[in-house]
Amino acid sequence: MIPFPLIIVLIAVLGLLGVGLYGLLAVRNLIKIVIALQILGKSALLALIAAGRASGQVNLGQSLALTFIVADTVVAAIGLALAVRVRRRLGTLDARELGKLRG
Amino acid sequence: MQILIGCLALGMLVCAVMAIRANRLVVSSLWLAALSALLAVLIYAMGASRVAVIELSVGAGLVTVLLIFVVGIAGDEATGGKPLIPRAVSWGLGLVALILLGWFTVPLVAPSPPSSQPSLVSLLWKDRALDVLIQVVLIFCGVMGILGLLSEAAVATVAGRRRAAQVPSAGTDSEPVMEEGRAQL
């Protein structure tokens, strides 16, 4: 098997995690928040595969990654559907407007 | 090999930053699709070919189609102004999280030799059969949730409310306007 530079992959995981976390905290558009969540998800997916590779259990990492892809996609779909509902009800995608909801 | 992995990692980071920084949502979605495609190539290079194919089709395909579909429905609205959390605090929290995670994970990078492992099919359908069942339930719940969220017709739109508010005589005259707003859904 070709020796794999895991440290580069780990740096990519950390970089994606930082960008996704920053986007989650700093962005106000609901659809962009879903995009930031997706970036965080890509980071976790890469970490799972890298962990499986590092421990010599690539198939275990693949099976965990498959479960994660399903959950991540469902989260994205529900989040986008909620964003559409918010847009229809409030007329905006601004997350700040959600603080004005009552009842 | 290291150069290829380094280029892929750098490209992924650039795509992630551009997906967050782009002003238009469609452009952000396309950068996210490019990130997924590069991630699929990287995963393939790591030997997880099946997950790479699924990531390419789901991450770069299905999620991108969903995003562009939603942008088409909700509109490409640019939300500027002050963020919910100050940018300095966001950067600080992100950096602290990165440093902590790097502090704990970098010492763990010591590849162990590949050991005997069961096949992916055996892992999925025997060892993790309950997880697969939960995935099926999760997909079903996701589909039902989306259908429930998007098909509820008894919601007055903002336009319908504004039109109803503009009608001077209250009572029966405002009802057709509200019904018109509901019918637009």
Side-chain angles (χ1 to χ4, degrees), chain A residues 23-46:
Chain A
L24 206 59
L25 292 175
V27 166
R28 285 169 51 184
N29 191 305
L30 288 175
I31 296 178
K32 250 188 180 173
I33 288 176
V34 175
I35 290 176
L37 270 176
Q38 284 288 307
I39 294 174
L40 275 176
K42 309 289 180 208
S43 164
L45 179 68
L46 188 56

Side-chain angles (χ1 to χ4, degrees), chain A residues 11-88:
Chain A
I11 291 171
V13 168
L14 292 177
L16 286 179
L17 190 83
V19 174
L21 198 58
Y22 170 75
L24 206 59
L25 292 175
V27 166
R28 285 169 51 184
N29 191 305
L30 288 175
I31 296 178
K32 250 188 180 173
I33 288 176
V34 175
I35 290 176
L37 270 176
Q38 284 288 307
I39 294 174
L40 275 176
K42 309 289 180 208
S43 164
L45 179 68
L46 188 56
L48 280 175
I49 298 291
R53 173 84 185 208
S55 62
Q57 301 276 338
V58 179
N59 284 340
L60 181 61
Q62 282 197 86
S63 66
L64 290 171
L66 279 176
T67 306
F68 182 78
I69 287 174
V70 171
D72 195 34
T73 307
V74 171
V75 165
I78 295 283
L80 290 173
L82 283 172
V84 170
R85 282 299 300 265
V86 168
R87 167 75 176 179
R88 282 178 178 171

Side-chain angles (χ1 to χ4, degrees), chain B residues 165-183:
Chain B
Q166 286 171 359
V167 174
S169 59
T172 55
D173 290 340
S174 63
E175 289 302 317
V177 179
M178 293 296 286
E179 288 301 323
E180 183 187 346
R182 290 169 187 158

